[in-house]
Amino acid sequence: MKLLVVEDDPSIAEPLCAGLGREGFVVDHVATGQDAIRSVTAHPPDLVLLDLGLPDLDGRVVCREIRSSSSVPVIVVTARSDEVDRVTLLELGADDYVVKPFGFRELVARIGAVLRRTSMASEQAEAVQIGDLRLDRRTHQVTCDGEPVALTPKEFDLVAFLALDPGAVRTRDDIIRNVWDENWWGSTKTLDVHIASLRKKLGADAIQTVRGVGFALVEPGGGE
């Protein structure tokens, strides 16, 4: 697996890249946001490890630019631990985040979890049709009434998980465990943010809320 480490501090980047190399990863390193965007375009990695504190571009801008042209998984490294920052990053398309200071073993575990989820999604190649909604796991494309719908990778993972059993109610814990991480320690408000975004893109009634239980993907326009 090829990783791209985006970190401008050599005292962090050098031991981090060396450690990841010992774990069996092929590691490329860049120190600026512009170089990160160029590298993802020219030599797509399997995962990007993106530090927010870059000298040229804000990490949010870099994440958004990467996501606009690539579905490569992104794990953000941030020193900002407040909830708003975390939710904003996930809305921009980051697949996960770690907060400084972090343990190396924790980071490796999170990289492994994101790569496993990505691999599982790519292996589920069948397309699903639910009314006018069509989801293709192989191409990561979603259309509604024949029109393409642009989803972030995490939004796609969420709707793909719900689409495994259309109409079935999935609990919040079940969704967090399968779409994010079984060891997820962030707020479940993140799930609400993604549900709200999907409703805007797929239709307000595409995902039903079952109070006190969870959510279900239903045929858009099918009503409550």
Side-chain angles (χ1 to χ4, degrees):
M1 288 290 182
K2 179 181 175 182
L3 306 183
L4 175 65
V5 173
V6 188
E7 169 61 65
D8 68 312
D9 186 343
S11 67
I12 296 175
E14 292 175 6
L16 178 58
C17 291
L20 291 171
R22 288 192 293 271
E23 292 293 324
F25 296 108
V26 176
V27 185
D28 287 340
H29 169 242
V30 296
T32 68
Q34 292 286 4
D35 284 343
I37 294 168
R38 283 192 288 265
S39 182
V40 169
T41 301
H43 308 288
D46 295 298
L47 182 142
V48 177
L49 189 62
L50 172 65
D51 185 74
L52 287 187
L54 300 172
D56 58 338
L57 296 175
D58 185 276
R60 292 169 179 77
V61 174
V62 179
C63 188
R64 184 169 60 244
E65 288 296 317
I66 290 174
R67 188 53 67 235
S68 69
S69 61
S70 173
S71 61
V72 60
V74 177
I75 296 180
V76 165
V77 179
T78 176
R80 309 165 190 175
S81 59
D82 60 276
E83 181 65 28
V84 174
D85 279 339
R86 297 177 185 182
V87 171
T88 299
L89 288 169
L90 294 170
E91 284 184 297
L92 288 173
D95 294 83
D96 202 352
Y97 61 87
V98 291
V99 179
K100 294 178 179 178
F102 56 84
F104 181 73
R105 299 313 309 171
E106 175 196 357
L107 177 61
V108 171
R110 287 187 174 275
I111 290 172
V114 170
L115 289 173
R116 283 194 299 274
R117 291 198 298 270
T118 304
S119 176
M120 288 175 62
S122 65
E123 290 171 359
Q124 295 174 319
E126 72 276 11
V128 176
Q129 186 82 36
I130 306 170
D132 292 331
L133 177 65
R134 179 179 174 82
L135 180 146
D136 191 322
R137 293 186 177 90
R138 183 178 62 83
T139 62
H140 270 229
Q141 292 181 341
V142 174
T143 59
C144 195
D145 197 21
E147 295 296 322
V149 181
L151 301 182
T152 68
K154 192 57 64 180
E155 288 170 352
F156 182 90
D157 290 346
L158 174 52
V159 74
F161 177 68
L162 294 175
L164 289 173
D165 193 358
V169 180
R170 299 285 192 168
T171 67
R172 299 175 72 92
D173 287 345
D174 194 25
I175 295 170
I176 290 292
R177 183 171 58 253
N178 285 275
V179 178
W180 274 266
D181 190 326
E182 61 184 7
N183 297 313
W184 172 258
W185 46 267
S187 170
T188 59
K189 290 180 181 178
T190 297
L191 172 57
D192 296 312
V193 169
H194 283 74
I195 291 290
S197 179
L198 283 173
R199 283 173 172 156
K200 290 180 182 178
K201 296 178 178 181
L202 303 179
D205 58 352
I207 299 177
Q208 289 184 349
T209 300
V210 179
R211 294 191 183 280
V213 183
F215 303 95
L217 180 69
V218 298
E219 181 178 338
E224 294 291 334

